[in-house]
Amino acid sequence: MAGPRVVIIGAGVVGAALADEISTRGWTEVTVVDQGPLPATGGSSSHAPGLVFQANSSKTMTELARYTVEKLSSLDVDGQPCFLQVGGLEVATTPERVTELHRRQGWLTSWGVESRIVTADECVDLHPLVNRDRVLAGLHIPTDGLAKAVLAVEAQIRRATERGVTFLARHEVLDVLQADGEVTGVRTDQGDLQADIVVCCAGIWGPKIARMAGMNLPLTPLAHQLAWTGPVPALAGQTEEAVRPILRHQDADLYYRDRHDTLGIGYYGHRPMPITADEILSVDEADGMPSVLKFTEDDFADAWTETQSLLPATREAKVEEAINGLFSFTTDGLPLLGESPDVKGFWVAEAVWVTHSAGVGRAVAEWLVDGHCSSFDLHECDVNRFEPHQLSPEYVLARDCQNFVEVYDILHPLQPSGDPRPIRTSPFHARQQELGAFFLEANGWERPHWYEANAHLVEGRSIVTPDDWAARYWSPIVGAEAQATRETVAMYDMTALKRLEVSGRGAADFLERLCTGKVAKSVGSVTYTLLLDHDGGIRSDITVARLAPDLFQVGANGNLDLDWFTRHLPADGTVQVRDITPGTCCIGLWGPLARDVLQPLTDEDFSATGLKYFRAKRAHIGPVPVTAMRLSYVGELGWELYTTADLGQKLWDTLWRAARPLGGIAAGRGAFNTLRLEKGYRSFGTDMTYEHDPYEAGVAFAVKADKEDFVGKAALERRRADVRRKLTCLTIDDPRSVVMGKEPVYDGQRAVGYVTSAAFGHTIGKGIAYSWLPAELAVAGRSLHIGYFDRRVEAVVAEEPLFDPAMSRLRG
């Protein structure tokens, strides 16, 4: 026996995969418990239709699915395969869906999965039941297929058992045992099991189990209709279970799969039917599977009508079996992985469908055994990513139901989220409404993207209008605001930026240990630095301002930074970390006339020498006390001005009155994004993530190699000598070809990378697309192409930054 004592709750596709993967890595003192029989335990895995499709806008989710395909394809149970690689076919019945299929094919190409757009005739060749008159085109992914979920569970149970893992069926978990903030075991109806680590893989029961450890899991079980036809005459004689590709008709929220001479029909077009985890019966209480609810025939009527139209052969068949099967949904459609912030040793691997199950098993196994995941970037999936309001029951239910409704919808990258909204508003919100702000949501904050009050600025300017897709949730005012910022001065609402306060006599040493840069400098210093994981990957980029000997303000990227800091706090209580975002606000005052606005409002010296670049000071702006930091993410002279929320509106009004006579404006996030790309400023989570290191991402300047030590330093030194890819600036001359991110990049006919952030540079007059490329291609002047829907856009590798490389405007 090796490794700590681990109890895994749930023996479905996720629990079985985790047991297999973790035992492969040498941890064998593992017990898996489930309330149901093995291998069909009665949860979602037992009735799942088994579709494994890899197309996803998330690189991580595609990679989790790809590993699931690879692993399950290698497994069998007594000669019965666990995966039927029949391929996948998505069909379009509207022109809008044809366009969407091209976008999805771009994702697959970006993430390295083979696929191709096929004609309507080819759709029928691939799936002869399809009505040729209904389809316009299709997307074919040859490596997709059908997972035999119960067989996959059994195969992985056998493998893990051979290594010493124990599986206990018919053991209902009654409690998660704890002492001094750590798990000590699990109480079942058949006795207690001691454990150093408990992993909840309970699926639709996840919220109930997590609550035993004091954890609020933002997951809702929702019923999803799955029906099976009787024999379809056109399929008579089909002895193999599946020979046609899994078929998705997303225009009607439908999918289909073979089962010998019958068809399975899955439907997402009905009303959301949520249920709480506490309402789900136990295995012993349920007549059949507790994850299967009574079929509601009326909800399926439209699905059956549409099925008979798309697949005319079904008109000669009837629906003979049907269920409302429960599956897990989350507020952002992504899994919930990671350790509880409050109870050490309690982990979750939840909201995982069969599609991603084996990948998640591997990811969590690596995370547990190695302390980090090396195969996948998990920042999107970390259970600690949520803000407090995102865990409220009202929010969770509303957004989970919305994600059910939208599961097959064509969603624009900037598409506004639904209710509940608004949730968080800055102290400037009323003034922004008066200026006609167009708001989008950022971590619950209502954040302006442009202001209709600036419409007059468009007149006389040459503002490029992008194509119809890029022009959604966009206005030419964005370009005017960007140009005006470079000409005069603009006020930006930066309140949505996460702000942390780190204090205490151990604060300086604590931050020095976590940061790649030197932050224990003089009071008033501001440092751009990185947080690394133990493997040298970038966890975040932050700014650290030293406001007093034992007081620092951190500009962070989100709740995961707070979680990271909290987990590394020393046990002696010498450091405290606090999220001060809700009680504070921030205005970015930027532009060549910023000093002309600010200096008359204060007695403090805001000259170039009075407050140098990357320095901070306390001051009064009019009657408002502020913390002023000389930073600028738009590449212009200016400051971030922080104050308390109660004084925010007064700060806005004070600056507004001073700025207006100089031509000052309020500007939104649209202008901010184009300006920051002209300066080459990275955005964590988009341009760089856990999988990248500073040398690849072009932020090595934030690493002080002569520091004695910091988290990730040893691994980073090993990675430094082997830089194989680089985040690279591309420019596009075609003014209407404004790509939006995640598009593939081609060298000739070969896909070589993908776009991260993109926008039109209204100062330089070109499109900008930052992209990950092989290092040998990241050479200025190199001609490449970007795959944008069904066409190729010419692009050229450019030196960065594109604007003010001498930094004269920032330092003036």
Side-chain angles (χ1 to χ4, degrees):
M1 293 294 204
R5 297 168 300 177
V6 179
V7 171
I8 299 171
I9 302 172
V13 285
V14 181
L18 176 56
D20 181 33
E21 295 285 344
I22 205 171
S23 59
T24 297
R25 287 160 178 78
W27 284 16
T28 53
E29 198 167 345
V30 178
T31 303
V32 184
V33 298
D34 200 292
Q35 63 176 330
L38 299 177
T41 62
S44 300
S45 302
S46 302
H47 67 74
L51 276 69
V52 178
F53 48 88
Q54 299 162 87
N56 199 295
S57 62
S58 165
K59 181 174 184 282
T60 297
M61 295 298 279
T62 295
E63 290 176 340
L64 291 170
R66 181 167 55 199
Y67 181 77
T68 300
V69 168
E70 292 170 357
K71 181 177 183 180
L72 298 191
S73 296
S74 70
L75 299 180
D76 70 88
V77 175
D78 301 330
Q80 298 180 76
C82 294
F83 190 76
L84 307 176
Q85 199 159 54
V86 292
L89 176 64
E90 300 180 10
V91 295
T93 58
T94 64
E96 293 79 12
R97 185 65 65 174
V98 174
T99 302
E100 172 70 356
L101 293 187
H102 282 284
R103 184 168 72 124
R104 296 173 66 79
Q105 199 268 338
W107 295 340
L108 288 161
T109 304
S110 291
W111 316 144
V113 177
E114 178 189 354
S115 66
R116 66 188 181 99
I117 298 295
V118 295
T119 66
D121 288 336
E122 289 175 301
C123 289
V124 177
D125 290 341
L126 289 163
H127 201 298
L129 298 189
V130 168
N131 182 349
R132 171 63 180 80
D133 294 335
R134 288 293 316 279
V135 298
L136 303 176
L139 172 61
H140 182 229
I141 306 97
T143 51
D144 283 355
L146 292 167
K148 304 286 289 178
V150 174
L151 279 180
V153 168
E154 184 173 358
Q156 291 174 101
I157 286 176
R158 289 186 182 185
R159 284 159 52 110
T161 301
E162 290 174 358
R163 302 187 195 102
V165 174
T166 300
F167 286 82
L168 300 176
R170 297 287 184 181
H171 280 62
E172 182 179 358
V173 173
L174 305 177
D175 199 6
V176 175
L177 306 178
Q178 312 164 47
D180 300 322
E182 298 185 18
V183 296
T184 59
V186 168
R187 176 156 293 158
T188 78
D189 58 353
Q190 299 192 43
D192 293 353
L193 300 169
Q194 293 184 321
D196 305 301
I197 295 172
V198 173
V199 187
C200 177
C201 304
I204 54 177
W205 289 279
K208 182 178 180 179
I209 299 297
R211 197 164 58 244
M212 297 175 185
M215 192 174 183
N216 185 1
L217 208 61
L219 180 159
T220 303
L222 281 114
H224 158 56
Q225 293 196 309
L226 176 64
W228 295 93
T229 69
V232 178
L235 304 181
Q238 180 176 317
T239 56
E240 294 182 63
E241 178 176 347
V243 296
R244 277 162 288 277
I246 57 176
L247 178 65
R248 296 209 288 170
H249 176 25
Q250 291 161 303
D251 284 321
D253 298 302
L254 285 161
Y255 65 78
Y256 306 93
R257 57 148 296 177
D258 287 13
R259 189 178 68 179
H260 301 294
D261 62 348
T262 70
L263 283 178
I265 306 168
Y267 187 44
Y268 288 104
H270 54 79
R271 62 192 168 89
M273 293 183 273
I275 188 173
T276 68
D278 294 310
E279 293 176 294
I280 304 171
L281 299 176
S282 68
V283 171
D284 291 332
E285 294 171 325
D287 291 335
M289 288 186 202
S291 60
V292 171
L293 305 182
K294 183 180 179 181
F295 184 65
T296 51
E297 189 171 352
D298 289 347
D299 291 304
F300 195 72
D302 290 343
W304 184 235
T305 299
E306 180 62 23
T307 294
Q308 293 175 309
S309 174
L310 182 73
L311 308 174
T314 59
R315 296 169 187 166
E316 301 179 63
K318 294 181 180 180
V319 172
E320 294 193 355
E321 305 171 51
I323 63 171
N324 285 4
L326 293 175
F327 289 93
S328 300
F329 280 79
T330 62
T331 57
D332 56 9
L334 295 164
L336 308 172
L337 312 178
E339 188 179 19
S340 162
D342 302 313
V343 180
K344 184 175 175 58
F346 183 77
W347 289 67
V348 299
E350 288 289 348
V352 181
W353 294 0
V354 174
T355 305
H356 309 101
S357 58
V360 166
R362 177 173 182 170
V364 176
E366 290 179 353
W367 199 349
L368 286 166
V369 175
D370 301 331
H372 58 85
C373 178
S374 57
S375 296
F376 311 96
D377 162 37
L378 296 181
H379 87 275
E380 293 178 315
C381 306
D382 194 313
V383 70
N384 297 294
R385 64 189 181 267
F386 300 103
E387 295 290 323
H389 73 273
Q390 294 172 321
L391 299 175
S392 69
E394 178 184 352
Y395 182 94
V396 170
L397 180 61
R399 292 293 171 90
D400 288 359
C401 289
Q402 178 184 345
N403 277 328
F404 177 89
V405 170
E406 294 178 347
V407 71
Y408 277 174
D409 285 1
I410 299 172
L411 300 177
H412 191 273
L414 295 178
Q415 186 158 324
S417 52
D419 291 332
R421 224 185 131 195
I423 296 177
R424 308 172 87 179
T425 55
S426 79
F428 324 129
H429 189 255
R431 298 293 187 256
Q432 292 165 344
Q433 287 180 308
E434 292 167 4
L435 295 172
F438 177 81
F439 293 100
L440 294 178
E441 183 187 333
N443 291 325
W445 293 99
E446 294 295 316
R447 185 166 66 184
H449 271 241
W450 69 82
Y451 294 87
E452 288 298 330
N454 294 326
H456 68 282
L457 294 176
V458 177
E459 298 173 14
R461 298 178 184 271
S462 178
I463 306 297
V464 172
T465 300
D467 64 41
D468 292 343
W469 179 253
R472 297 185 189 182
Y473 312 110
W474 177 89
S475 166
I477 298 171
V478 168
E481 289 178 356
Q483 292 178 357
T485 302
R486 298 244 187 264
E487 295 163 358
T488 55
V489 62
M491 294 164 51
Y492 288 82
D493 182 358
M494 301 299 291
T495 303
L497 175 72
K498 189 83 162 176
R499 291 173 292 286
L500 307 178
E501 180 185 272
V502 181
S503 60
R505 59 185 173 85
D509 291 339
F510 169 74
L511 289 169
E512 281 290 315
R513 171 67 178 151
L514 294 182
C515 296
T516 60
K518 185 168 179 58
V519 298
K521 298 185 290 192
S522 62
V523 172
S525 64
V526 183
T527 306
Y528 174 82
T529 185
L530 307 173
L531 303 177
L532 302 183
D533 212 329
H534 296 278
D535 65 347
I538 300 170
R539 285 196 65 93
S540 189
D541 64 333
I542 61 175
T543 55
V544 180
R546 191 171 201 175
L547 304 181
D550 295 338
L551 178 65
F552 296 80
Q553 181 171 312
V554 175
N557 280 300
N559 215 56
L560 290 181
D561 293 345
L562 174 60
D563 181 68
W564 185 252
F565 279 163
T566 303
R567 291 182 188 280
H568 287 83
L569 285 173
D572 60 8
T574 59
V575 183
Q576 295 80 45
V577 176
R578 187 166 66 98
D579 183 359
I580 61 172
T581 312
T584 56
C585 57
C586 178
I587 295 174
L589 181 70
W590 294 314
L593 301 184
R595 186 173 286 119
D596 297 320
V597 172
L598 194 64
Q599 189 62 76
L601 299 174
T602 180
D603 292 334
E604 294 289 335
D605 183 2
F606 277 87
S607 67
T609 55
L611 186 61
K612 295 180 180 179
Y613 188 51
F614 266 81
R615 296 289 297 179
K617 70 161 62 173
R618 309 275 197 183
H620 282 84
I621 306 302
V624 181
V626 302
T627 298
M629 299 185 195
R630 191 165 170 204
L631 309 176
S632 172
Y633 285 95
V634 301
E636 293 291 339
L637 169 69
W639 301 267
E640 293 178 357
L641 303 170
Y642 298 89
T643 192
T644 51
D646 59 321
L647 293 168
Q649 184 169 299
K650 185 62 175 178
L651 177 61
W652 179 281
D653 291 344
T654 301
L655 294 171
W656 184 251
R657 282 194 299 268
R660 288 303 292 155
L662 300 175
I665 64 166
R669 187 70 179 184
F672 176 92
N673 195 50
T674 178
L675 295 172
R676 70 106 179 159
L677 286 176
E678 289 182 334
K679 281 298 293 179
Y681 293 143
R682 277 61 169 148
S683 174
F684 178 80
T686 303
D687 298 316
M688 54 191 186
T689 66
Y690 293 2
E691 67 176 301
H692 306 116
D693 68 49
Y695 304 106
E696 299 170 326
V699 288
F701 64 87
V703 178
K704 300 304 179 187
D706 58 351
K707 281 187 66 172
E708 183 175 339
D709 197 17
F710 53 80
V711 172
K713 182 181 180 184
L716 187 61
E717 289 175 347
R718 292 191 295 269
R719 294 175 70 152
R720 182 176 187 175
D722 190 27
V723 177
R724 301 183 182 183
R725 57 186 173 180
K726 287 187 177 181
L727 183 62
T728 307
C729 179
L730 303 180
T731 58
I732 303 167
D733 287 334
D734 181 357
R736 284 185 55 81
S737 297
V738 180
V739 301
M740 302 197 69
K742 304 186 179 183
E743 297 90 354
V745 179
Y746 293 88
D747 179 29
Q749 295 303 308
R750 180 172 62 108
V752 293
Y754 59 91
V755 175
T756 57
S757 295
F760 189 81
H762 294 279
T763 309
I764 66 167
K766 293 184 178 184
I768 306 168
Y770 271 81
S771 307
W772 279 103
L773 297 175
E776 65 272 16
L777 296 181
V779 179
R782 180 74 181 235
S783 294
L784 300 166
H785 287 85
I786 298 172
Y788 187 55
F789 292 98
D790 60 346
R791 58 194 176 92
R792 300 285 177 88
V793 175
E794 293 184 5
V796 178
V797 176
E799 295 279 4
E800 57 172 328
L802 299 170
F803 178 78
D804 189 25
M807 304 282 282
S808 59
R809 296 172 73 102
L810 280 168
R811 299 181 183 277

